Amino acid sequence: MRFTVAIDGPAAAGKGTIGRAVAAEFSFAHLDTGLLYRAVGARVLAGEPAQQAAEDLQPQDLADPEALRTPDVAQAASKVAVIPEVRAALLDFQRAFATRVGGAVLDGRDIGTVICPHAEVKLFVTASAEVRAKRRLDELADRGIEAEYATVLADVRARDARDADRATAPMRAAEDALVLDTSALSVDDAVAAAIAAVRAKRDA
Ligand code: DC
């Protein structure tokens, strides 16, 4: 059985949490596509040209996701993600993952619009920039990384603008996406809404 769930939306809106929960509920595989761009960003921070970094990406670049979840790598990821050649180099891997037997959940920015326009279910998970900055601040604090709210908010806004305004595969909701605004939703309610949408389509 092939079944693709595409989850898009801005940073820290809850895509990862929802994606993991949906994957666990239906025993689908899950790919956080942001990690691919983060891994390219990390290679660029280490001195490699962006296109070459994307073309050379190896599974071991993703072996330590925590090391890629830092503010510096996030900004570097958002910058390399503007480059069409970088996006092109990552396309086949994502499409192959999406169509694997057994079902797949991919979360990112352009999954429902570019990577998997025929996904069975498309979700666009969003929340206000302030709510997302607070969540990111708490998440960083939990991992022992100190940051200021104003700095995190400015980072979130800068990344939103870059991700949404780029010419190639900008972040936006697909026309047929279900929009989930998690600003005022609990994690449980957001997850329940996503699972209900997938179940309705799977059982249709
Ligand atoms: O989801 P994330 O915060 O880990 O993503 C990091 C950056 O990677 C994000 O700011 C933009 C880019 N990205 C993208 O352009 N397309 C995707 N499908 C996923 C991430």
Side-chain angles (χ1 to χ4, degrees), residues 8 111-114 117 122-124 172-179:
D8 292 303
I111 308 301
T113 50
V114 174
K122 297 180 188 177
L123 304 173
F124 191 82
R172 62 179 173 79
E175 274 176 20
D176 50 349
L178 170 70
V179 178

Side-chain angles (χ1 to χ4, degrees), residues 10-188:
K15 300 185 301 289
T17 306
I18 292 173
R20 279 188 297 277
V22 167
E25 175 74 18
F26 297 98
S27 301
F28 294 164
H30 175 233
L31 178 65
D32 169 359
T33 65
L35 274 186
L36 304 175
Y37 292 89
R38 285 173 183 260
V40 176
R43 275 180 174 245
V44 168
L45 290 176
E48 205 176 346
Q51 183 177 347
Q52 188 186 323
E55 288 168 358
D56 287 355
L57 211 63
Q58 302 294 324
Q60 60 263 32
D61 284 294
L62 309 174
D64 185 2
E66 283 311 295
L68 299 173
R69 293 206 171 93
T70 66
D72 286 353
V73 174
Q75 290 297 340
S78 176
K79 287 179 187 163
V80 300
V82 170
I83 304 168
E85 290 80 7
V86 166
R87 307 198 70 84
L90 302 177
L91 192 74
D92 287 349
F93 175 76
Q94 295 175 82
R95 287 211 173 130
F97 191 96
T99 51
R100 66 201 279 153
V101 173
V105 181
L106 287 83
D107 70 73
R109 303 291 187 289
D110 62 338
I111 308 301
T113 50
V114 174
I115 305 292
C116 310
H118 304 297
E120 277 73 14
V121 177
K122 297 180 188 177
L123 304 173
F124 191 82
V125 181
T126 188
S128 72
E130 290 77 10
V131 166
R132 290 184 286 119
K134 175 74 175 61
R135 284 183 194 156
R136 189 43 54 90
L137 191 69
D138 292 347
E139 194 186 299
L140 290 170
D142 283 349
R143 290 167 48 211
I145 302 176
E146 259 186 59
E148 299 243 330
Y149 173 74
T151 312
V152 176
L153 179 59
D155 270 13
V156 160
R157 289 202 165 120
R159 216 137 66 86
D160 283 358
R162 206 183 294 114
D163 295 346
D165 294 345
R166 66 181 175 226
T168 307
M171 168 178 71
R172 62 179 173 79
E175 274 176 20
D176 50 349
L178 170 70
V179 178
L180 269 182
D181 187 333
T182 66
S183 305
L185 273 187
S186 69
V187 172
D188 286 353

